[in-house]
Amino acid sequence: MSNDKIVRYATRLLCSHQGSLEYRQLHRHVCNSFDISDYGLCYILRECCRFAVVGGTEDRTSYTEINPDCRIIARTAVRLCKDYPKDRCADCEEGLHLCKYFVYGNCRFGKGRKPCRYSHELSSGHNYEVLRNYHLLDLDQDELFMLLLQNDPSLLPEVCVHYNKGSGPYGACTFKASCTKLHICQHFVQGDCMFGYKCKRSHRIELDDQKKLEERGITRENIHNLPSIYRNIYDLKNCSISSIEGEITDTSQGPSVSERESNEICLHYIRKQCSFQEKCIHVHFHLPYKWEVYDKSSWVELHHMEEIEKAFCDPENTHSEGSRPVDFLEMTRNSAPVRRLSTASSVTKPPHYILTTEWVWYCKGENGKWIEYGLPDEKRKVSSVTSKELEQAYLADNNAEIILTKGHRQYTLSFKDMYQRNPKHNTKRKVRRRPRFVSEKAVENKRMGYGSCLIVSI
């Protein structure tokens, strides 16, 4: 059974139910349609970037169960291209080229009269590629637009902060009826308003806001759904995002420190010196990396581990070799989740620690070759930050943006999007983070060399 099918099914189900469902409802639908264990479903919902688990009395360190009261929200990294309406897009890879009024459901041009100058075609070459890359081709038009409305912050007005302060029908909002933001109770949107129907703030879309939203092009049906959409927007904004690149993420880089540490390979065990033995919280393995595939109920070691690791360390590779290759971007093999465990990053340990993982940061150059940060590119220009400095910044905040220079040009590197952008020309280059390759023989040599040093020092 393919996890991809379950992900696609669950995404469609959520989008057809105003973007979210209680876990108990989603569980019932999925388990009625697929032969999957509770653990398997929980793992997919927690580790797949397409879902957010929010609410309830959730224990975020447990991966064996999800509180039935939790809500599962559909999410995506796809947005409408901001530069498309300005005719400035350089064929971006992640932005849809669509009329936003078409997404709202009420474009006044595409109805048999004067044609709209902006695309209404989901199947156009560009849009098809974006939807294919983000695994959204299964969604029908209404489901896709629901997903976009609750994930793309440019589509809906913000909740007015000033309306939620002060007294009177408009709170402290000085714009009153002419305010372009939404006048609705923020606590109602957050799901924690203690006043209920007695609240002085509105718990529905009032006539003034309805008119503004309709003038904006939003259909009455979508306006009716807005309170639940705003609730999803709020929860998505406040929940932690483990990854946006790939469907199933490497759990060694999950949201909690304790979880990340429990999936780290023990440095002391590699040196044959772990005194905690079976009580150690780290993974005991003879290499500084370990590749595993999820086989229905448990993680199983992959064969030809050194060959997979060698392929992964080359930033040009998106797959390993062989008849059953590992997809490095999706972290899957034949749709089954794959993860890579590793030792701690080398920047987090003193230099004398052996067999830490040296992560290397690369940017794709003009000729298609991947250039390590801090080394000269094809024009002999060097970036102002090194790979080591980027790794330190990434571990401090993996959603940060880093400003760097190369030659006379300034760039912005987004850890979240894994792109380097030239803000002047709005061009982008892909960025990848891959480990430095260490063979099994090199591991053994380092281990033996470390032991010899110990004998000499004694």
Side-chain angles (χ1 to χ4, degrees):
M1 177 186 62
S2 169
N3 281 337
D4 287 347
K5 290 182 179 180
I6 297 174
V7 169
R8 293 196 298 267
Y9 176 83
T11 302
R12 291 201 64 180
L13 193 65
L14 294 171
C15 292
S16 63
H17 286 79
Q18 299 181 23
S20 65
L21 279 172
E22 286 186 351
Y23 173 69
R24 59 167 61 87
Q25 294 173 300
L26 183 65
H27 177 276
R28 183 175 68 251
H29 284 289
V30 172
C31 291
N32 284 342
S33 301
F34 297 91
D35 181 17
I36 183 172
S37 66
D38 289 351
Y39 178 86
L41 179 57
C42 290
Y43 175 82
I44 290 173
L45 294 177
R46 289 179 183 278
E47 289 302 305
C48 180
C49 64
R50 298 269 288 275
F51 310 109
V53 182
V54 300
T57 55
E58 178 68 346
D59 178 7
R60 295 186 182 275
T61 64
S62 171
Y63 276 72
T64 58
E65 58 182 339
I66 292 177
N67 189 310
D69 294 328
C70 286
R71 285 189 310 119
I72 313 300
I73 307 176
R75 66 180 173 187
T76 182
V78 176
R79 306 286 187 263
L80 295 190
C81 176
K82 294 181 180 179
D83 293 321
Y84 171 63
K86 305 172 187 176
D87 298 323
R88 294 191 320 200
C89 180
D91 196 26
C92 61
E93 297 183 12
E94 70 277 2
L96 289 170
H97 289 181
L98 286 174
C99 166
K100 72 175 181 179
Y101 299 103
F102 174 54
V103 176
Y104 291 151
N106 201 22
C107 179
R108 59 192 178 95
F109 289 107
K111 297 182 178 179
R113 293 182 284 179
K114 184 179 179 180
C116 182
R117 64 175 293 195
Y118 303 115
S119 177
H120 287 203
E121 294 295 328
L122 295 176
S123 58
S124 69
H126 174 86
N127 291 334
Y128 180 88
E129 284 301 310
V130 173
L131 295 174
R132 182 178 66 83
N133 290 339
Y134 284 90
H135 309 278
L136 298 176
L137 289 174
D138 287 344
L139 299 184
D140 65 27
Q141 181 175 297
D142 290 340
E143 292 164 349
L144 176 63
F145 292 169
M146 173 59 70
L147 187 64
L148 289 173
L149 284 174
Q150 70 184 29
N151 282 275
D152 189 337
S154 70
L155 289 174
L156 294 176
E158 297 177 6
V159 173
C160 180
V161 175
H162 301 289
Y163 166 76
N164 281 274
K165 298 177 181 179
S167 58
Y170 298 102
C173 180
T174 56
F175 293 102
K176 299 183 178 180
S178 63
C179 182
T180 58
K181 297 183 178 180
L182 198 65
H183 284 188
I184 192 170
C185 174
Q186 180 67 59
H187 290 285
F188 171 70
V189 169
Q190 296 171 194
D192 60 2
C193 181
M194 65 179 67
F195 299 107
Y197 69 92
K198 295 181 180 180
C199 183
K200 296 178 181 179
R201 312 292 176 211
S202 178
H203 284 198
R204 60 191 180 93
I205 309 299
E206 300 293 349
L207 287 176
D208 287 344
D209 281 333
Q210 284 186 37
K211 291 177 182 179
K212 286 184 290 188
L213 292 168
E214 286 179 4
E215 289 173 358
R216 191 173 178 141
I218 302 176
T219 62
R220 290 188 177 182
E221 180 181 357
N222 281 333
I223 291 174
H224 175 75
N225 294 332
L226 278 184
S228 61
I229 293 175
Y230 273 93
R231 173 79 183 278
N232 292 342
I233 291 172
Y234 172 80
D235 285 332
L236 285 172
K237 184 178 179 180
N238 287 279
C239 74
S240 61
I241 299 177
S242 59
S243 173
I244 66 167
E245 183 188 51
E247 295 303 300
I248 303 295
T249 64
D250 179 353
T251 57
S252 67
Q253 299 177 30
S256 87
V257 174
S258 60
E259 177 196 332
R260 180 170 67 249
E261 289 181 345
S262 67
N263 283 309
E264 265 184 15
I265 294 174
C266 178
L267 287 168
H268 299 286
Y269 180 81
I270 292 181
R271 300 196 299 259
K272 307 293 185 184
Q273 292 181 5
C274 183
S275 59
F276 292 101
Q277 298 182 12
E278 71 277 357
K279 294 181 180 179
C280 181
I281 65 169
H282 300 298
V283 175
H284 282 186
F285 196 61
H286 67 285
L287 295 174
Y289 49 84
K290 186 181 185 185
W291 287 87
E292 298 177 329
V293 61
Y294 190 72
D295 185 15
K296 296 183 179 180
S297 60
S298 62
W299 289 100
V300 180
E301 287 182 26
L302 284 169
H303 297 298
H304 311 295
M305 199 172 298
E306 185 175 18
E307 288 84 352
I308 295 172
E309 177 71 7
K310 187 174 183 179
F312 181 65
C313 291
D314 186 342
E316 291 190 6
N317 293 331
T318 58
H319 295 78
S320 64
E321 296 181 352
S323 58
R324 302 178 68 191
V326 173
D327 186 328
F328 296 140
L329 300 183
E330 301 294 336
M331 290 302 281
T332 57
R333 188 186 70 171
N334 293 349
S335 300
V338 167
R339 68 179 182 180
R340 178 189 181 275
L341 308 183
S342 67
T343 52
S345 176
S346 58
V347 301
T348 67
K349 300 294 182 182
H352 66 269
Y353 273 70
I354 68 166
L355 297 173
T356 53
T357 299
E358 181 187 357
W359 289 96
V360 187
W361 287 80
Y362 301 91
C363 182
K364 196 170 187 179
E366 293 181 3
N367 59 5
K369 290 187 177 181
W370 292 87
I371 309 297
E372 180 180 337
Y373 280 91
L375 298 183
D377 62 12
E378 59 272 9
K379 295 182 180 179
R380 308 189 71 80
K381 294 181 179 179
V382 181
S383 62
S384 60
V385 296
T386 64
S387 178
K388 181 179 179 180
E389 289 169 335
L390 286 177
E391 176 68 8
Q392 291 170 330
Y394 176 78
L395 293 180
D397 182 2
N398 62 7
N399 286 317
E401 290 189 348
I402 303 298
I403 305 299
L404 60 98
T405 58
K406 181 183 283 189
H408 299 292
R409 295 182 179 178
Q410 187 177 83
Y411 301 91
T412 300
L413 191 159
S414 170
F415 290 146
K416 187 175 181 181
D417 298 327
M418 294 300 279
Y419 273 100
Q420 176 183 291
R421 185 172 66 88
N422 182 328
K424 183 177 180 180
H425 301 288
N426 200 32
T427 54
K428 291 183 177 181
R429 297 191 183 278
K430 292 182 178 180
V431 172
R432 281 185 182 157
R433 174 184 183 249
R434 295 289 174 89
R436 189 85 70 189
F437 177 65
V438 181
S439 67
E440 291 191 27
K441 184 176 181 180
V443 170
E444 185 61 27
N445 288 340
K446 285 189 176 185
R447 184 190 295 121
M448 295 299 293
Y450 178 81
S452 299
C453 291
L454 285 180
I455 293 172
V456 171
S457 65
I458 291 173

